Amino acid sequence: MPELSALHRVFARIMLAAAAVLAAAAPARTEGSWQWQLTPFVLAPSIDSTTELGLAGGDVEIDAGDAFDQLRAGGMLQFEGFHSSNFGFRLRYSILDADADGATAMGPASVRYDQNLGEAVMTYRFERGLDQFELFGGVRHWDVDVTASLPGGMVRRGADWTDPVAGFRWQRRLSDDLSLMLEGDIGFGGSSDESWSAMGGVIYDRWDRASIYVMYRGLGVEYQEGTRGTPGFFRHDAVTHSLLAGVGFRF
């Protein structure tokens, strides 16, 4: 069979993780015991990175600096299911694109970063008074392409890889309509040398079936593949900052 594309592999991993979660919860499933939420987000991402691209004549190192002044549009779709047993799952697919003006030994460079992320985690939730806590673990799949316009021409390199992740979420009810949420996770034992995510913001629960989310998320990764000094070498050390706004629909 022909090799599956990176995008197909992302969806395959997500669907397998979701199937595993649903199968694990099947013995406890009863009518009306599941709650579902679908939340589309609009993102304004930027990137702070150092990237190395292998070339036949030597590697090119790109320092993008802090590119908050060059925000681009992006999006994230999140689907969650929570069971009355307190177990559940969460699926996310994000498109995080950003432009930056970089500096290299060859001179200035205009750089475009395309980062697609698929995430699938199992969750366990419990409450204490006004506080809600959640433990989760699963996988995050990265698909990164970097296109650099250099003085000598255009260069494009990229890679895709998967990291296991484990994390914690805390949500505090501030009033009848307003909640504060903080979430963080770290990657371990995967393809990245280092991987993490941190997210926080407010949730406005004005309606029975819908909530408004205003959040910030930071994603950090250190990854490399290939041998430095060869055309196939790729190194991507980056922190992606994203401002998020979304509406969660419960059913």
Side-chain angles (χ1 to χ4, degrees), residues 145-166:
D145 285 305
V146 179
T147 303
S149 297
L150 304 169
M154 184 172 291
V155 179
R156 181 176 180 179
R157 294 287 187 276
D160 63 278
W161 66 93
T162 302
D163 294 320
V165 298

Side-chain angles (χ1 to χ4, degrees), residues 233-245:
F233 179 69
F234 178 73
R235 171 185 165 227
H236 186 57
D237 297 349
V239 176
T240 304
H241 312 271
S242 299
L243 305 176
L244 302 87

Side-chain angles (χ1 to χ4, degrees), residues 4 8 22 49-50 62 64 71 80 83 130 153-154 167 174-175 182 193 197 203 214 220:
L4 290 175
H8 288 166
L22 293 174
S49 80
T50 299
I62 304 166
L71 297 174
E80 301 173 278
H83 192 262
L130 299 176
M154 184 172 291
L174 302 177
S175 68
L182 299 174
D193 296 326
S197 169
I203 306 170
V214 180

